[in-house]
Amino acid sequence: MSRGRDRYVDFLRAWAILLVVGGHWLITALVRGPGGEIRAPELLATVPWTQWLTLVFQIMPLFFLAGGHAASGSWGRARAAGGTVGGWVRQRALRLLLPAAVYSGLVLFALGVCEAVGVDRGTLALVGWAMAMQFWFLPVYLLLSALTPALHAAHRRWGVLVPVGMGAVALLADVLAVGFHVPVVGLLDYLLVWGVAYQLGFCWRDGMLGGRRVVPAAMAVSGIVAFVALVRVGPFPVSLILVTGQTPSNTNPPSAAMLAWAVAQVGLCLLAAPLVRRVLERGRVWGVVRPVGGASMTLYLWHMLPVLVAAAAFYLTGIAPQPAFGSVAWWGLRVPWLLVLGVVLIGVVWALRPLERGLVVLYERTRPQEAGPLRRSSLLRLGLGLVASVWALGYFAGHGFAYDGRFPVLPALGLALGTGLVMLPGVRAAPRSEEEEYGSVAEEAA
């Protein structure tokens, strides 16, 4: 496989984002109560068979796989050019933190205004949860990006043994968390399970996985068999998305079953690569994939805003028909629901274009100078900024933007402080090529 830019990697990131957006929209159900209040019943808990759909929509292992592939190439080029760990980590962190901080700031401002004018706390809590439900990904990816130089050094020395070892430690942590009720140890699996997929991206880029079809075939078969065994015989549910009250969960933290499914997905992805690459060589197909990849961070962050727009336009007004929840008629209305949300999201992305251009300028003004290491004080600020940012993003992921209907003062300050500290060490540098420009996590150079 070519070590240059791989259209298939870009396709995987775009495909993953589209499935995440579509999956969130599909399972988001709104019901207007007799008093005009809006509720959001949990589809996966209310209609249990829908948990099987998560086997299709839980596609984030492939996003981490593609992210590892991209980070491997980016860090390799930086090392070859004499770049430093601190400068590279800061550059990657800003790619994620700038759009996430701007999004969070705008949402928090709107929620703060609503709280000040007396909007019901239950409504604020529901809206704050909806606008932060996708945030679990951000602190995990930020940490893996910061650890990339160390992870890549281990990869260069031990190759495939690194993800194998990480998987073994993840299984041990899961045994302690689930079997011996030590939940704190299970938190390691956020980095270990998703880190396996990320590390496999390194191996994929260096040709350690795709040289022979027997390797990805073995990964696919063994992953599926292990997943079935863990669900049918073991203690894990089939749902690969968090279901309230379901213990243990496959995502909070990622379980052995999630690890098995991630390995299976990677294997299937590698088996499909030759066919999909041939399709992507067609100009029209690539012309659709590339802009989706270019807008994927925007799509990921903002895709729940159309749900709020639709709720205000059709449910608060009582216009939306309300067949029995989970009935055939209800499922039939999912089609226009998805279409309406898609149209609104296209409008949101278009409206955000000036903001995106402003972020490009801001990134160019704050990205680190490529020559020379950061000073010790700058490295300390970078470390503190990453810690504060990870904590704040993790809080929002677990509690939403308005837990209990209240403005989250400390997490908001933590994200602002963390982002500011990461930005501080930068100096103005020469413009880079189009492929190296700030775009999004999913637009990183492969």
Side-chain angles (χ1 to χ4, degrees):
M1 183 194 71
S2 170
R3 296 168 69 91
R5 190 169 184 85
D6 188 345
R7 289 185 176 186
Y8 186 50
V9 177
D10 293 339
F11 164 79
L12 289 178
R13 289 178 293 208
W15 180 243
I17 290 298
L18 288 179
L19 279 185
V20 168
V21 171
H24 283 169
W25 286 353
L26 185 66
I27 66 174
T28 300
L30 302 179
V31 174
R32 187 174 189 269
E37 73 280 3
I38 303 298
R39 295 183 294 107
E42 190 173 351
L43 179 65
L44 298 178
T46 307
V47 187
W49 70 263
T50 59
Q51 294 181 27
W52 288 94
L53 298 177
T54 65
L55 301 185
V56 175
F57 286 101
Q58 179 52 274
I59 202 74
M60 292 310 286
L62 296 188
F63 197 97
F64 281 99
L65 174 75
H69 187 288
S72 175
S74 176
W75 172 236
R77 289 192 299 273
R79 287 177 61 247
T84 63
V85 170
W88 186 88
V89 168
R90 184 175 165 278
Q91 176 179 313
R92 304 298 274 196
L94 285 176
R95 285 178 176 271
L96 185 149
L97 281 176
L98 287 178
V102 169
Y103 169 83
S104 301
L106 292 174
V107 173
L108 288 169
F109 175 78
L111 289 173
V113 171
C114 291
E115 183 181 14
V117 299
V119 174
D120 174 68
R121 292 192 183 278
T123 300
L124 287 179
L126 178 61
V127 171
W129 166 81
M131 296 301 283
M133 64 184 298
Q134 73 277 34
F135 262 45
W136 71 266
F137 164 82
L138 300 178
V140 178
Y141 198 91
L142 183 58
L143 278 174
L144 286 173
S145 295
L147 293 172
T148 292
L151 293 173
H152 199 265
H155 162 74
R156 294 194 305 273
R157 183 169 183 177
W158 293 297
V160 179
L161 292 179
V162 179
V164 171
M166 292 173 69
V169 177
L171 293 176
L172 176 60
D174 213 24
V175 168
L176 293 174
V178 176
F180 294 92
H181 308 291
V182 188
V184 175
V185 178
L187 295 177
L188 292 173
D189 281 342
Y190 280 106
L191 279 181
L192 291 171
V193 172
W194 299 120
V196 167
Y198 191 79
Q199 199 82 21
L200 286 173
F202 297 173
C203 299
W204 180 27
R205 182 178 179 86
D206 289 344
M208 298 178 181
L209 302 178
R212 297 180 179 178
R213 294 179 67 83
V214 65
V215 175
M219 293 175 66
V221 172
S222 61
I224 292 173
V225 169
F227 177 81
V228 171
L230 289 165
V231 170
R232 295 295 299 272
V233 181
F236 300 102
V238 70
S239 178
L240 293 172
I241 295 176
L242 180 65
V243 179
T244 300
Q246 197 173 73
T247 304
S249 166
N250 283 328
T251 58
N252 188 29
S255 68
M258 178 65 81
L259 175 61
W261 195 251
V263 171
Q265 274 195 357
V266 171
L268 293 172
C269 158
L270 298 179
L271 288 173
L275 174 61
V276 179
R277 282 196 180 102
R278 287 195 294 270
V279 175
L280 292 173
E281 290 302 317
R282 301 174 184 174
R284 290 183 178 179
V285 175
W286 180 240
V288 173
V289 171
R290 184 169 185 175
V292 172
S296 55
M297 189 63 171
T298 303
L299 294 172
Y300 187 80
L301 287 173
W302 291 90
H303 73 270
M304 291 303 290
L305 180 59
V307 174
L308 301 185
V309 174
F314 300 109
Y315 285 87
L316 284 178
T317 59
I319 295 175
Q322 297 205 74
F325 188 75
S327 65
V328 173
W330 185 87
W331 281 104
L333 287 174
R334 293 284 90 182
V335 176
W337 166 256
L338 294 175
L339 291 175
V340 168
L341 295 182
V343 171
V344 175
L345 184 58
I346 291 173
V348 169
V349 172
W350 180 83
L352 290 171
R353 290 179 66 187
L355 179 61
E356 292 291 315
R357 287 194 290 268
L359 285 174
V360 171
V361 174
L362 181 59
Y363 177 74
E364 284 299 320
R365 290 185 178 278
T366 56
R367 67 181 177 86
Q369 193 173 26
E370 297 298 334
L374 295 178
R375 294 188 299 271
R376 183 172 299 179
S377 59
S378 297
L379 286 173
L380 178 61
R381 287 198 300 268
L382 175 61
L384 292 175
L386 290 173
V387 170
S389 300
V390 167
W391 172 77
L393 293 172
Y395 177 91
F396 292 139
H399 299 85
F401 282 116
Y403 183 67
D404 200 27
R406 301 180 185 277
F407 187 87
V409 177
L410 288 180
L413 291 175
L415 183 57
L417 175 64
T419 304
L421 288 174
V422 174
M423 292 173 63
L424 272 180
V427 296
R428 176 72 173 165
R432 296 179 298 170
S433 65
E434 178 183 352
E435 190 177 66
E436 290 289 327
E437 280 185 348
Y438 163 85
S440 66
V441 172
E443 207 180 11
E444 293 162 330

